[in-house]
């Protein structure tokens, strides 16, 4: 009754999809190579336009990132940034709307936010989140409501939740 699709079938389906999600994903000060790899794999799966890696976030060529990302590194457009503030200001001038994924006073539940594209999504360090200097550049701050005793999700899981919600909002 059920038959798994082969890698060839999956590759053909992916090749036939048109365009990218008009989203720049910023990974700033993510500590774990495995989180970075998982996020890059998900970003590739969601068709993200570009990923900017900044701060002390591990580079994609590091072993833990490669291991977790699998083939996701082959299809993702990523760059390292030494000047993330300048890059975010430039993107804003180009018409990008900047969203920060963070638990903040005044933040909006991700599923209640109306998103504008092209967009930037900033995700930050696993424990302390997005630095205040980057938060000041955000046009909107979104958060994932928590209903258990844990106050947050793993950064790679949280990023996946938001990326697939953005795909839905964009109409894919």
């Amino acid at each position: 009754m059920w038959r798994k699709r082969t890698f060839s079938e999956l590759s053909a389906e992916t090749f036939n999809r048109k365009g990218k999600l008009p989203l720049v994903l910023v990974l700033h000060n993510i500590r774990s190579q495995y989180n970075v790899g998982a996020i890059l794999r998900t970003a590739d799966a969601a068709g993200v336009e570009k990923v900017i890696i900044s701060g002390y976030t591990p580079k994609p060529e590091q072993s833990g990132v490669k291991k977790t990302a699998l083939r996701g590194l082959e299809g993702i457009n990523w760059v390292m940034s030494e000047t993330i503030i300048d890059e975010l200001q430039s993107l804003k001038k180009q018409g990008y709307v900047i969203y920060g994924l963070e638990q903040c006073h005044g933040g909006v539940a991700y599923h209640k936010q109306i998103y504008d594209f092209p967009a930037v999504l900033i995700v930050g360090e696993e424990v302390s989140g997005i630095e205040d200097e980057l938060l000041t550049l955000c046009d909107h701050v979104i958060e994932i409501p928590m209903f258990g005793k844990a106050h947050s999700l793993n950064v790679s899981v949280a990023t996946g939740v938001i990326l697939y919600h953005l795909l839905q909002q964009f109409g894919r």
Side-chain angles (χ1 to χ4, degrees):
M1 177 170 141
W2 298 103
R3 181 182 68 80
K4 291 183 185 178
R5 289 182 273 183
T6 66
F7 284 117
S8 296
E9 290 168 329
L10 292 169
S11 294
E13 288 175 17
T14 302
F15 182 77
N16 289 327
R17 292 189 180 114
K18 303 289 186 229
K20 294 278 189 182
L21 177 64
L23 177 79
V24 174
L25 178 60
V26 175
L27 309 182
H28 185 71
N29 287 344
I30 306 293
R31 294 177 304 168
S32 165
Q33 291 183 33
Y34 302 109
N35 282 337
V36 173
I39 291 169
L40 291 172
R41 185 174 176 179
T42 304
D44 174 58
V48 167
E49 173 186 313
K50 180 179 178 181
V51 176
I52 299 175
I53 297 170
S54 63
Y56 51 76
T57 303
K59 294 177 174 72
E61 53 266 1
Q62 291 180 262
S63 64
V65 176
K66 282 185 189 177
K67 179 180 180 177
T68 313
L70 292 176
R71 290 186 171 172
L73 291 177
E74 296 170 15
I76 198 74
N77 175 20
W78 66 270
V79 296
M80 293 296 298
S81 173
E82 299 292 327
T83 57
I84 191 60
I85 299 292
D86 293 340
E87 292 208 35
L88 289 170
Q89 289 171 336
S90 175
L91 287 165
K92 196 175 265 209
K93 286 178 185 170
Q94 294 172 49
Y96 283 76
V97 179
I98 301 178
Y99 298 89
L101 177 56
E102 186 60 83
Q103 296 171 325
C104 284
H105 292 285
V108 175
Y110 78 96
H111 59 282
K112 293 183 177 179
Q113 177 70 47
I114 304 297
Y115 297 88
D116 294 307
F117 295 94
V120 173
L121 175 64
I122 304 172
V123 296
E125 203 261 353
E126 289 90 336
V127 176
S128 60
I130 299 172
E131 292 178 352
D132 289 341
E133 189 176 23
L134 296 183
L135 274 175
T136 63
L137 296 171
C138 292
D139 298 302
H140 305 278
V141 175
I142 56 171
E143 60 184 57
I144 300 171
M146 296 289 116
F147 300 99
K149 291 189 181 208
H151 296 288
S152 65
L153 295 174
N154 173 281
V155 67
S156 66
V157 173
T159 303
V161 168
I162 302 304
L163 289 180
Y164 274 84
H165 184 73
L166 289 171
L167 275 175
Q168 178 190 26
Q169 285 273 313
F170 187 65
R172 294 249 165 117

